[in-house]
Structures are given as C-alpha cells and as structure tokens.
Amino acid sequence: MVGAGVLGLPYAMSQLGWGPGIAVLVLSWVITLYTLWQMVEMHEMVPGKRFDRYHELGQHAFGEKLGLYIVVPQQLIVEIGVCIVYMVTGGKSLKKFHELVCDDCKPIKLTYFIMIFASVHFVLSHLPNFNSISGVSLAAAVMSLSYSTIAWASSASKGVQEDVQYGYKAKTTAGTVFNFFSGLGDVAFAYAGHNVVLEIQATIPSTPEKPSKGPMWRGVIVAYIVVALCYFPVALVGYYIFGNGVEDNILMSLKKPAWLIATANIFVVIHVIGSYQIYAMPVFDMMETLLVKKLNFRPTTTLRFFVRNFYVAATMFVGMTFPFFGGLLAFFGGFAFAPTTYFLPCVIWLAIYKPKKYSLSWWANWVCIVFGLFLMVLSPIGGLRTIVIQAKGYKFYS
C-alpha cells in the first residue's frame, strides 16, 4: 500500500497549504479505506464464486462487454503509469546515492541511471508469478517504512529552515490554482493499492464458514495503520521544516547526514524494484493472454521473453524522456488513480447492492464519487502544466 508517492506528499502540502492539505490527506485516507472495504466485501458476494480480478467485478456489475471497457483501460493506465513513475524514481534515487557517496565523481546523466535501474527488471520480469515475489514484497514493505521514517526523522532533526515560508509559491492566481490541482493529484497517487487488492485476496484460502474477507480485512486495517504512520509524519513534518521550498521528492531536499540519506535512497530503489514488478505482473498477464487467445500465438517461453522485455524497455524509454517526478505523479494520480481508487468501487457497489435513496450508504457512495470525479478532472490539468513548465527548460536525455 505504501508507494513511493509518499515522498511527494510534503510537496503536495506546499501546493495545497496547511488547511486544505491536511483535509485532503485525511479525506483521502478515509475514502480509500472505505472503497477498499467495499472491494474486500464484493470479492465473494456471489456464493461459490470469487472475483479474482478488478475487471471480473466490473463485468458482474455492468455486463460482459461494458464491464471490460470500463475497467481494463483504467487499470492498464494505472499499472503502466506506476511503472513509468517508478522508473524515474529508481533512476533519481540511484543518482542521488551516487552523488552522496562519491562527492568528487564525474556526474552521470539521469538517463543512464534510469537505464541501470531498468536493467534489473529485464531479469526480474521473468519470475513466474505473485508468490515468487512474496520475498520481494516483504523487503519492499520494510524498505518503505524505513525510508519514510528516515525522511521525516532527519527533517525533524534538521529543525525548521531559517527563511521558511508557508505561502503559495506561484506568483499568479492561475499558477496557484493549477498547482493546487497538481497537489491533489500527488495525494491521489499516494493512495494506490486498489488495483491489485482482488489479486491479493484471491491468494487467501476461503470456505463458506471462514470466508477470505476476514483475514483480508484484518490485513487491510494493519496496512492502513502503517500507511497513516508513514504518510502523515512525512507530509506534515516535511512541509513544516522546508515550507514551500521543499523538492517534489523530499529525499532530494535532505543532504546530511550523508550516509543516512544515501541509505534511504537505496531503500527507495529496493522498494521500487519490488513495486514495479507487482504492477507489471497484471500487464504481462493481459498482454500474453491477448496474444495467445486473440492472435493465436503459441504460449512459449520465447513469447514471454519478448513481451516482458518489450514492456520494460517501453516504460524505461518514456521515463527517460519525461523524468519529472512531481508532474508525472499529479498527472497519473488524477487521470488513472482517482477512478480506480476513489469512485469506481462505489459505482459498482451502487449498481449491485442498490442501497435505498438518501440512506447512509447511498450518501457515502455519492460523496466519494463526487470527490473522485473532481480529482479525476482537475489533477491531470495541473500535472500536465507542471510537466510542460519543467520541459521548457529541459534538454531531452541530458
């Protein structure tokens, strides 16, 4: 659940300001927990059947064809979006590590670091399934807790910066508004576990007496407590210490103690390696299924080899072309994450359970839907503008 999006939260706070920032953080935490509960409940709502994939749930709610068309494109955008952002994150953290560990080294281009990061995935992508990644997942969980803690603890020990300012950075009203939208997207990106939640629940054994939703829900609660412990301190302490001068990745604002920040950056790299795989797996699955079923390819190792390497290379290439962490977060956060995380579960819930009009459940779902739509429409505008502004002064592949 804890993504590298947590590193962008202080920056999101600087774009939202104290009041709205805290409100959006808390609201997102509550809404995403609620929609996650809905998905855990709906996993086995039909006796004797389990919805192991997000699109199977969509098909049950909206019909065979429509369900696919509603859910699959959104899921693909999320998964591909995360993979691209993680390419950039991995590359940037490796670069920062290199700078901290070796002061007098010749600086190496970010492009090369993204390539170095991608090289790991050309190997890892050929692991067979989810279970073979459970070790990687455990490492990733420990890492994310560690670097979140380092991020806020070393900020706190640094003390509030002398010329700290908490106002909005942009000079114009338009700039402030667009940055606000962008900040919303950064927050949406941080809450992004819903796309693989059904796949995860599918691995839990289930009987009519002991349905899988019991242990799954306990897991979700623990995960969300950890999320709160990671997100809130990082967002609030990071913003409190650096004000609106904070970088779009908090670890880039911290310099000392060098060994600790270097360690944190390596933790980020290890974490993103694991997360990249988790988000890439469903895409491999879809691509291979499509090629075998629709285009009649033979399901061979050669096919897997080419499909997976092609995907890794494609995400690497996009990451090298647009290495803007903050802008990418906001763009994908609003465009792809808001639907699948904030309101799609609610729409499915309304379609299937049909709660009474104006009942508590009806209101709760509609509030989430409105908030989610708001995020989906506004954030990408802010994110795109950020990317355009950053790209103006940027030499490609420099």
Side-chain angles (χ1 to χ4, degrees):
M1 289 301 288
V2 181
V6 61
L7 300 170
L9 288 177
Y11 184 66
M13 285 291 296
S14 76
Q15 292 174 316
L16 297 167
W18 277 119
I22 294 173
V24 169
L25 272 177
V26 174
L27 207 61
S28 294
W29 191 84
V30 172
I31 288 180
T32 51
L33 181 59
Y34 173 63
T35 52
L36 201 51
W37 171 78
Q38 290 180 317
M39 293 190 70
V40 171
E41 284 291 316
M42 292 191 287
H43 177 69
E44 294 177 290
M45 59 190 168
V46 180
K49 189 174 179 200
R50 296 178 77 168
F51 298 110
D52 294 344
R53 304 255 185 287
Y54 207 143
H55 65 83
E56 290 174 15
L57 198 57
Q59 284 172 305
H60 179 70
F62 309 119
E64 286 295 314
K65 271 276 168 72
L66 188 64
L68 269 185
Y69 292 138
I70 291 178
V71 178
V72 172
Q74 296 190 19
Q75 256 200 303
L76 273 175
I77 297 169
V78 167
E79 279 145 4
I80 295 167
V82 171
C83 290
I84 292 169
V85 170
Y86 282 1
M87 277 286 176
V88 177
T89 315
K92 279 199 167 171
S93 287
L94 279 174
K95 187 173 194 295
K96 180 80 173 174
F97 175 77
H98 180 250
E99 284 165 10
L100 285 164
V101 171
C102 177
D103 283 338
D104 39 8
C105 287
K106 192 173 152 223
I108 301 176
K109 287 181 186 177
L110 177 62
T111 305
Y112 295 142
F113 278 111
I114 294 178
M115 284 176 161
I116 295 169
F117 178 73
S119 63
V120 181
H121 294 294
F122 284 117
V123 179
L124 283 185
S125 299
H126 301 285
L127 292 174
N129 59 15
F130 258 135
N131 284 346
S132 55
I133 320 186
S134 60
V136 183
S137 300
L138 177 68
V142 174
M143 294 301 147
S144 55
L145 257 171
S146 311
Y147 69 67
S148 300
T149 311
I150 293 176
W152 68 261
S154 57
S155 297
S157 71
K158 195 171 172 148
V160 179
Q161 299 302 293
E162 283 167 10
D163 46 357
V164 69
Q165 290 176 333
Y166 298 114
Y168 293 123
K169 221 177 184 171
K171 301 283 178 284
T172 60
T173 315
T176 306
V177 172
F178 282 123
N179 283 350
F180 190 88
F181 294 166
S182 181
L184 289 174
D186 289 348
V187 174
F189 192 96
Y191 291 99
H194 294 53
N195 289 286
V196 284
V197 70
L198 294 172
E199 277 92 342
I200 294 170
Q201 193 170 349
T203 60
I204 298 177
S206 181
T207 58
E209 295 78 48
K210 274 191 169 169
S212 64
K213 66 183 180 189
M216 184 68 185
W217 179 236
R218 286 199 292 279
V220 169
I221 295 289
V222 173
Y224 256 69
I225 291 170
V226 174
V227 164
L229 292 177
C230 286
Y231 286 17
F232 292 107
V234 173
L236 304 176
V237 175
Y239 181 44
Y240 177 63
I241 301 294
F242 293 106
N244 61 16
V246 71
E247 295 266 343
D248 61 6
N249 176 339
I250 176 89
L251 289 180
M252 304 297 150
S253 290
L254 295 160
K255 304 277 187 299
K256 295 198 163 36
W259 63 272
L260 189 65
I261 309 305
T263 313
N265 277 294
I266 281 301
F267 284 170
V268 173
V269 173
I270 297 171
H271 175 211
V272 223
I273 288 174
S275 297
Y276 182 96
Q277 287 303 321
I278 284 184
Y279 281 96
M281 281 277 165
V283 186
F284 296 152
D285 189 40
M286 275 186 211
M287 285 161 66
E288 286 157 20
T289 311
L290 186 78
L291 289 172
V292 172
K293 286 193 172 157
K294 291 275 188 287
L295 304 172
N296 301 328
F297 277 80
R298 295 217 338 277
T300 54
T301 334
T302 327
L303 178 74
R304 273 178 66 155
F305 181 77
F306 281 110
V307 164
R308 297 181 176 206
N309 285 348
F310 165 75
Y311 178 75
V312 174
T315 50
M316 174 184 82
F317 181 70
V318 178
M320 284 170 7
T321 315
F322 304 105
F324 311 122
F325 182 69
L328 286 172
L329 275 194
F331 179 73
F332 284 120
F335 188 55
F337 282 51
T340 49
T341 310
Y342 287 81
F343 67 85
L344 206 57
C346 297
V347 176
I348 295 176
W349 185 273
L350 288 174
I352 293 171
Y353 288 105
K354 301 188 177 57
K356 277 219 300 284
K357 249 192 187 172
Y358 310 121
S359 62
L360 183 65
S361 164
W362 187 88
W363 274 114
N365 286 307
W366 276 107
V367 168
C368 298
I369 291 171
V370 172
F371 185 70
L373 275 170
F374 180 70
L375 272 179
M376 178 185 163
V377 177
L378 300 179
S379 313
I381 305 173
L384 256 182
R385 178 174 170 276
T386 311
I387 293 175
V388 170
I389 289 175
Q390 286 175 324
K392 260 188 196 162
Y394 172 75
K395 288 198 189 69
F396 284 106
Y397 309 115
S398 55

